[in-house]
Amino acid sequence: MKIHFPEAIPSAPALVLVTPQDGPTTPAVEAVDRATGGQLGRALRAAEFVGRKGATLELLAPPGLDHDRLLLLGLGPPQEADALVFEELGGRIVEVLGTRAAAVAVDLSGLPTPRLALGAAAAHLALGALLRAWRHDRYRTTLKDEDRPRLAELAVAGAARAAEAFAPLDAVARGVFLTRELVTEPANVIFPESFVERVRAAAEPLGLEITVLDEVEMKALGMGCLLGVAQGSVRPPRLLALEWNGTGDSQATPALFVGKGVTFDTGGISIKPASGMEDMKWDMGGAAAVAGAMVALAARRARARVVGVCGLVENMPDGGAQRPGDVVTSFSGKTVEVINTDAEGRLVLADAMAWAQQRWQPDVMVDLATLTGAIIVSLGHEYAGLFTPHDDLAAQLSAAGDATGERVWRQPLGKPGSPYDKLLESAIADMKNVGPREAGSITAAQFLQRFVADGVQWAHLDIAGTVWKTKPGPTHGKGATGFGVRLIDRFVAQTRETAA
Ligand code: BES
Ligand code: MN
Ligand code: ZN
């Protein structure tokens, strides 16, 4: 979709106006009312349209206008209209007009936006539309014409400096789209090697530095945890690192993001039930979010040093697969008794995290993983689970989540040796890879905590409930949400970027 911010309203098949709730009408609404000879005002009164948030009113063939459709959108109370509300408006435009109009013009002139500059409001509206319009139609060969998206051009007029506010948001959308694409593609298309190649194609032109480890290199490094998961698959594993340094200082301390990239999770020998197993193609959503976030940061030339690492494996049961009870030695040297081969994400992360911390010496590390079904039981699909011993990091991530709509909710985490941590004690090795059934998301986090280096501020985000939605939301359709990209991007912007 082509997005631009002209000064005057271009001719387009559809015109969109935004009206504040119960407020005085805006100059844009008044001008259109005059042009229609008062028909707009009459329609508004007839529909009892007062501009409630989410309300829409559509007029076809409005008299006196050269637009075929006029769509009014309710803003709700202006003092509550923040960036997310404008993103929702943009999404709504796509929902209502996406298959009906080839081009849409939005007139925001004179709209009161006490929470943000009008240009920023326009930019977030455009971002919402762009995000909501994303689709993956690669494998649909019989899509009916009326179901085909037609909206190819969005013009948002009447707001100064919108284009400069939109540029960094456009970059973030590119990252979100990469993540959604990786998450949506099936596991016969996206596996560790093809994941690396897809990301490389997006990352290299942006100047991201790429490092890839293959299984021979990982074996030499002693990554027994990750390789144990991979050994039941004919698809070889990969460890992918993406580096961005926008500080101009090659010695700057980086922030590190690590993603679980299980390109398909059958459970391995501890095999999952057949029903719903197809969902496990998106068990690489953490790695996809890390890759998308790195693309977003590079695309907007973020003034920070950031490293993103993706642990990529396929968890399959074959004659070579690891067995329940196997003991593996991690990169860190700690040994793990693999009680359940379906608790594979933490094994992959343990080696990816330990290796990346040693190599890049970050001060902050955040991992993202579709780690447990239990987090969906706890939080459903609205919040990701946040686990961290650091209150300041928790506050920063929560703030980034609230600002972007990618919300997180903090969960308990015990110290080493605490009752939760003790649930991982093994009779034969340093730890087991699972605890009992209860507190499953917490024991998963306790496991990861054992691979955090001294002095590193660490947080774990369990995103099993948020990477894939069976219902569309304001800024995404059914399926992949791209969760994590905007959260990471905002967290980096707010905590790592030096002022211009
Ligand atoms: N990838 C799954 C977690 C998951 C489940 C994500 C459902 C999304 C939807 C993970 O590898 C897994 O299998 N976890 C197990 C852990 C258990 C064996 C301790 C789980 O949640 O059942
Ligand atoms: Mn699993
Ligand atoms: Zn998994």
Side-chain angles (χ1 to χ4, degrees), residues 364-379:
V364 170
M365 170 171 68
V366 179
D367 77 81
L368 293 91
T370 51
L371 205 61
T372 65
I375 202 67
I376 309 178
V377 176
S378 301
L379 298 175

Side-chain angles (χ1 to χ4, degrees), residues 31 35 56 107 116 133 155 173 193 216 341 369 377 381-382 384 397 418 425 456:
T56 58
D107 186 4
L116 72 179
E193 292 161 292
V216 177
T341 66
V377 176
H381 303 281
E382 307 312 313
L397 287 165
S418 65
E425 281 175 2
V456 175

Side-chain angles (χ1 to χ4, degrees), residues 16-22 44 49-57 71-78 81 85-86 88-90 92-93 111 125:
V16 176
L17 302 175
V18 178
T19 58
Q21 183 171 331
D22 301 324
L44 289 174
F49 185 94
V50 293
R52 278 195 198 93
K53 189 175 156 232
T56 58
L57 178 67
L71 174 66
L72 277 104
L73 295 178
L75 178 68
V85 169
F86 282 93
E88 285 174 27
L89 284 178
R92 200 95 177 96
I93 292 171
L111 188 70
L125 182 146

Side-chain angles (χ1 to χ4, degrees), residues 141-484:
T141 65
T142 57
L143 199 64
K144 291 202 250 8
D145 268 352
E146 62 264 35
D147 297 332
R148 231 173 251 289
R150 281 167 63 195
L151 185 54
E153 187 180 341
L154 177 70
V156 188
R161 286 186 298 281
E164 57 191 85
F166 181 64
L169 302 180
D170 193 24
V172 173
R174 282 172 64 177
V176 172
F177 294 162
L178 173 65
T179 301
R180 288 180 182 175
E181 179 187 318
L182 291 165
V183 166
T184 305
E185 288 282 18
N188 60 332
V189 173
I190 289 295
F191 42 89
E193 292 161 292
S194 60
F195 183 106
V196 168
E197 293 321 314
R198 282 272 174 111
V199 172
R200 189 195 296 282
E204 252 171 12
L206 296 170
L208 281 156
E209 201 177 312
I210 299 173
T211 307
V212 183
L213 300 189
D214 65 18
E215 68 269 52
V216 177
E217 292 162 298
M218 288 191 265
K219 194 157 193 189
L221 287 163
M223 296 188 179
C225 279
L226 188 154
L227 291 170
V229 177
Q231 77 191 33
S233 170
V234 296
R235 309 281 200 196
R238 291 290 183 266
L239 199 50
L240 166 67
L242 302 160
E243 283 181 75
W244 172 253
N245 191 346
T247 64
D249 171 8
S250 64
Q251 301 304 305
T253 303
L256 171 64
F257 298 91
V258 183
K260 168 180 172 181
V262 176
T263 57
F264 196 79
D265 181 12
T266 63
I269 295 300
S270 312
I271 198 163
K272 288 180 180 296
S275 166
M277 203 202 276
E278 67 279 6
D279 280 350
M280 287 300 107
K281 74 171 182 180
W282 48 259
D283 206 20
M284 30 57 73
V290 168
M294 294 306 297
V295 161
L297 292 167
R300 69 170 182 80
R301 321 311 280 174
R303 285 187 175 76
R305 183 165 184 222
V306 184
V307 178
V309 170
C310 302
L312 302 164
V313 303
E314 186 181 57
N315 188 22
M316 297 287 274
D318 79 0
Q322 68 179 342
R323 294 143 292 256
D326 282 6
V327 174
V328 291
T329 302
S330 68
F331 174 83
S332 74
K334 296 188 174 97
T335 58
V336 179
E337 182 187 10
V338 180
I339 297 294
N340 188 320
T341 66
D342 196 12
E344 84 297 339
R346 61 199 75 181
L347 296 169
V348 173
L349 285 171
D351 279 347
M353 284 168 36
W355 171 74
Q357 287 171 102
Q358 188 195 79
R359 175 145 174 178
W360 282 285
Q361 308 278 312
D363 56 350
V364 170
M365 170 171 68
V366 179
D367 77 81
L368 293 91
T370 51
L371 205 61
T372 65
I375 202 67
I376 309 178
V377 176
S378 301
L379 298 175
H381 303 281
E382 307 312 313
Y383 290 85
L386 163 64
F387 300 80
T388 178
H390 311 291
D391 293 349
D392 46 351
L393 188 53
Q396 290 164 343
L397 287 165
S398 298
D402 290 343
T404 56
E406 296 189 339
R407 296 185 203 275
V408 300
W409 198 273
R410 194 172 181 184
Q411 307 282 304
L413 183 75
K415 290 188 166 54
S418 65
Y420 281 137
D421 187 61
K422 281 203 164 112
L423 295 173
L424 294 173
E425 281 175 2
S426 161
I428 183 172
D430 295 338
M431 69 196 88
K432 304 187 287 190
N433 75 328
V434 294
R437 230 175 78 81
E438 54 266 37
S441 303
I442 302 172
T443 50
Q446 298 292 157
F447 183 91
L448 296 178
Q449 184 172 240
R450 290 171 176 236
F451 297 88
V452 178
D454 285 345
V456 175
Q457 298 239 325
W458 161 75
H460 157 58
L461 296 173
D462 193 335
I463 61 173
T466 54
V467 308
W468 187 269
K469 300 266 177 96
T470 55
K471 292 193 197 107
T475 53
H476 59 80
K478 274 190 221 175
T481 60
F483 187 96

